[in-house]
Amino acid sequence: MNFFEHYLIQEISTGVLFLVVVLARTMVAKLIRRYARTSDIIEKRTNLVIKYINILISVLAVITIILIWGVQAKDIFITISSVATVIGVAMFAQWSILSNITAGIILFFSFPFKIGDTIVIHDKEYAVEGEIEDIGAYHVTILAENGETVIYPNNLFFQKGISIKKKKASEYTDFTD
């Protein structure tokens, strides 16, 4: 009995999983792009969220392939817990990066404000008022009224009060000539 006959079920399962991953990534990307179009979200933010979700799908696929090919679940969990421990210790000081990425994804889907909005961040020591220029994975760039560019971490948007200022009627462009 050769290799291909002996592992036929695993080979077929791996092929099916590969197709499921490709379909899932394609469908998720289409759904997120459709949501972004209806919500006027910029392409850069859309691509960032799609990238994060694709990474999650890929990690789940690798774990599934390992299970398909007969690695014992307890061995997987021991390996994952060991790797997670090492990464956790190494990245303990980097928790803010993960919280900013998570906050960036939440801002993508809930987006109480968007690029071009004028906001006020209510901070006791340093209140910030200005127009949002960019919303990235880690931070939001704000152009303050005095011309200063302020970079504000995403996770602080969930810790501070934010006011979105209404535009004046004169700021709207009228295209009905």
Side-chain angles (χ1 to χ4, degrees):
M1 198 187 294
N2 68 22
F3 177 82
F4 294 109
E5 292 173 356
H6 184 68
Y7 292 105
L8 184 62
I9 293 173
Q10 289 88 344
E11 293 166 5
I12 291 171
S13 299
T14 301
V16 169
L17 178 65
F18 178 74
L19 290 174
V20 168
V21 167
V22 170
L23 288 173
R25 291 176 86 169
T26 303
M27 290 176 59
V28 165
K30 285 182 180 181
L31 288 172
I32 291 173
R33 288 189 196 289
R34 183 179 304 146
Y35 177 79
R37 276 192 305 273
T38 61
S39 305
D40 296 327
I41 298 175
I42 62 173
E43 185 73 18
K44 182 177 167 184
R45 289 180 67 196
T46 303
N47 291 337
L48 189 64
V49 170
I50 290 171
K51 180 173 115 179
Y52 291 151
I53 292 175
N54 284 342
I55 289 171
L56 176 65
I57 290 171
S58 298
V59 167
L60 293 175
V62 167
I63 291 170
T64 305
I65 285 175
I66 290 170
L67 290 173
I68 287 172
W69 283 90
V71 177
Q72 297 296 319
K74 67 177 182 162
D75 295 337
I76 293 171
F77 293 126
I78 290 171
T79 303
I80 290 174
S81 65
S82 299
V83 169
T85 301
V86 170
I87 291 172
V89 169
M91 292 192 63
F92 180 71
Q94 302 301 325
W95 71 268
S96 63
I97 291 174
L98 297 175
S99 67
N100 281 319
I101 290 172
T102 304
I105 292 172
I106 293 169
L107 287 174
F108 174 81
F109 286 108
S110 68
F111 68 102
F113 45 79
K114 59 184 184 266
I115 293 175
D117 284 350
T118 300
I119 63 169
V120 178
I121 301 171
H122 304 284
D123 192 347
K124 291 180 192 176
E125 292 129 25
Y126 187 69
V128 176
E129 180 174 348
E131 181 179 331
I132 296 177
E133 287 190 322
D134 188 28
I135 302 172
Y138 306 107
H139 53 77
V140 174
T141 305
I142 301 168
L143 181 61
E145 291 181 327
N146 62 3
E148 178 180 54
T149 299
V150 180
I151 308 297
Y152 218 79
N154 286 340
N155 63 356
L156 292 181
F157 279 94
F158 294 100
Q159 299 172 16
K160 307 290 181 189
I162 309 286
S163 297
I164 302 171
K165 291 188 144 190
K166 299 275 187 201
K167 290 186 176 183
K168 299 174 190 162
S170 62
E171 294 181 21
Y172 292 107
T173 306
D174 186 15
F175 293 108
T176 58
D177 287 84

